[in-house]
């Protein structure tokens, strides 16, 4: 296990602001009402990139944490950059191949030392940029769940911590969309990066890649819905222009996951969705850290 995976002390409430975008997701987060259908870092700007759509979330912003939510429009994927403003150590969550130049430019502009690029699961709708990014940033490590079946420098499991400066994210295993899905939670339990396990008013599909509706339901209810109500939810995708939610909101309003287990399984078994258009390219590549035929 890489040295950046370790135990560190809890910090304060994290600063979080988001940019509003639109897109479509491999998890197909929105449904009808009926269905409930680790090399180092960037100098911190306190204003969002691109202008517009920015807002504060939560309370007591933590000025020592830099946070950026970035968007890739073709797969409607959110990429998240987090950094310690003092040490400039940073991590990147769910980077996309098509936006590697944008991400590296931002990291350089902000003066960060990117330590780890981590994928919340083996994606089916896009190719990760982690493998290629490692060839362009000396010392960068890739990370993914040990249950994903994918190659990476760091194979993560329940309770592991990914440290960057005085901050860290804790791994919660949340399988169901795939065997290797993880949710990454800040040390103050103020932010949770849920991948495709929990989306805004939705969840990841369970009809391919080892998907299991019952397992997903239990993962969300036992690992995510037990976080504080005010914990901010940052998913891997959204296609209605939504950028963030909270545990309390999703526990109350999520049209699938507020159902009973039996109702949820029935909903998921009858979605009849087409498979992601890039699945036959993305999955083989992502099993190799995104470098297969790139």
């Amino acid at each position: 296990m890489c040295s950046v995976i370790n135990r560190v002390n809890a910090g304060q409430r994290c600063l979080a602001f988001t940019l509003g975008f639109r897109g479509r997701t491999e998890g197909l987060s929105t449904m009808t009402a009926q269905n409930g259908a680790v090399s180092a870092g960037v100098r911190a700007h306190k204003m969002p990139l691109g202008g517009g759509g920015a807002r504060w979330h939560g309370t007591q912003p933590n000025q020592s944490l830099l946070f950026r939510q970035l968007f890739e429009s073709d797969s409607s994927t959110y990429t998240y950059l987090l950094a310690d403003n003092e040490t400039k150590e940073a991590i990147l969550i769910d980077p996309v191949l098509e936006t590697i130049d944008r991400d590296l430019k931002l990291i350089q502009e902000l003066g960060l030392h990117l330590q780890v690029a981590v994928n919340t699961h083996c994606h089916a709708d896009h190719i990760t940029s982690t493998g290629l990014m490692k060839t362009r940033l000396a010392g960068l490590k890739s990370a993914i769940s040990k249950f994903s079946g994918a190659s990476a420098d760091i194979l993560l499991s329940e309770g592991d911590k990914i440290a960057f400066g005085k901050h860290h994210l804790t791994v919660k295993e949340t399988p169901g969309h795939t065997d290797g899905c993880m949710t990454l939670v800040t040390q103050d339990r103020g932010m949770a990066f849920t991948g495709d396990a929990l989306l805004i008013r939705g969840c990841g599909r369970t009809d391919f890649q080892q998907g299991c509706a019952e397992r997903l339901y239990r993962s969300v209810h036992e690992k995510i819905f037990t976080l504080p109500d005010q914990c901010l939810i940052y998913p891997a995708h959204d296609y209605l222009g939504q950028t963030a939610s909270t545990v309390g909101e999703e526990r109350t309003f999520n049209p699938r996951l507020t159902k009973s287990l039996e109702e949820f399984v029935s909903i998921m078994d009858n979605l009849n969705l087409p498979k992601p258009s890039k699945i036959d390219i993305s999955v083989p590549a992502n099993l190799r850290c995104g470098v297969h035929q790139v």
Side-chain angles (χ1 to χ4, degrees), residues 40-93:
V42 184
R43 185 146 295 175
H45 288 274
K46 293 300 185 289
M47 295 298 292
L49 300 178
R55 61 184 183 274
W56 296 107
H57 291 290
T59 60
Q60 291 302 113
N62 184 344
Q63 299 299 319
S64 70
L65 179 71
L66 178 145
F67 172 69
R68 295 290 186 273
Q69 181 182 42
L70 305 168
F71 187 71
E72 192 280 312
S73 60
D74 186 48
S75 62
S76 296
T77 298
Y78 285 124
T79 296
Y80 299 98
L81 176 67
L82 295 91
D84 186 306
N85 272 326
E86 296 177 5
T87 69
K88 308 307 177 189
E89 293 179 347
I91 63 170
L92 194 64
I93 301 172

Side-chain angles (χ1 to χ4, degrees), residues 52-247:
R55 61 184 183 274
W56 296 107
H57 291 290
T59 60
Q60 291 302 113
N62 184 344
Q63 299 299 319
S64 70
L65 179 71
L66 178 145
F67 172 69
R68 295 290 186 273
Q69 181 182 42
L70 305 168
F71 187 71
E72 192 280 312
S73 60
D74 186 48
S75 62
S76 296
T77 298
Y78 285 124
T79 296
Y80 299 98
L81 176 67
L82 295 91
D84 186 306
N85 272 326
E86 296 177 5
T87 69
K88 308 307 177 189
E89 293 179 347
I91 63 170
L92 194 64
I93 301 172
D94 287 335
V96 179
L97 184 63
E98 284 78 3
T99 53
I100 186 172
D101 290 334
R102 175 204 66 189
D103 296 345
L104 290 176
K105 182 174 184 287
L106 177 60
I107 289 165
Q108 181 181 22
E109 287 175 344
L110 298 181
L112 300 178
H113 309 292
L114 190 63
Q115 306 292 306
V116 176
V118 56
N119 285 292
T120 54
H121 63 291
C122 184
H123 298 276
D125 66 341
H126 69 271
I127 297 175
T128 179
S129 66
T130 54
L132 184 59
M133 193 172 288
K134 283 169 40 176
T135 69
R136 297 171 63 175
L137 282 180
L140 176 63
K141 302 293 184 182
S142 60
I144 199 167
S145 167
K146 71 176 184 179
F147 298 109
S148 66
S151 300
D153 299 307
I154 304 167
L155 298 178
L156 297 163
S157 59
E158 181 76 19
D160 284 341
K161 289 177 168 53
I162 309 173
F164 54 106
K166 61 177 162 295
H167 302 281
H168 71 265
L169 299 180
T170 300
V171 173
K172 287 182 173 286
E173 293 170 354
T174 49
H177 173 60
T178 73
D179 280 349
C181 285
M182 305 181 300
T183 291
L184 304 173
V185 183
T186 56
Q187 63 228 56
D188 66 350
R189 304 208 304 168
M191 303 166 75
F193 301 90
T194 56
D196 282 15
L198 177 63
L199 305 176
I200 299 172
R201 306 301 190 267
C203 62
R205 60 195 292 178
T206 57
D207 58 335
F208 64 85
Q209 278 188 289
Q210 319 96 40
C212 175
E214 181 175 348
R215 199 177 187 196
L216 178 58
Y217 186 91
R218 297 190 188 282
S219 289
V220 173
H221 279 264
E222 295 172 8
K223 298 291 185 69
I224 301 175
F225 281 178
T226 52
L227 292 168
D229 281 355
Q230 68 271 24
C231 177
L232 293 160
I233 297 296
Y234 289 104
H237 306 279
D238 189 84
Y239 64 93
L240 288 181
Q242 304 166 114
T243 56
S245 183
T246 67
V247 168

Side-chain angles (χ1 to χ4, degrees), residues 255-267:
R256 292 179 183 173
L257 288 155
T258 51
K259 307 293 187 183
S260 69
L261 173 59
E262 293 73 19
E263 290 173 310
F264 177 77
V265 170
S266 178
I267 290 170

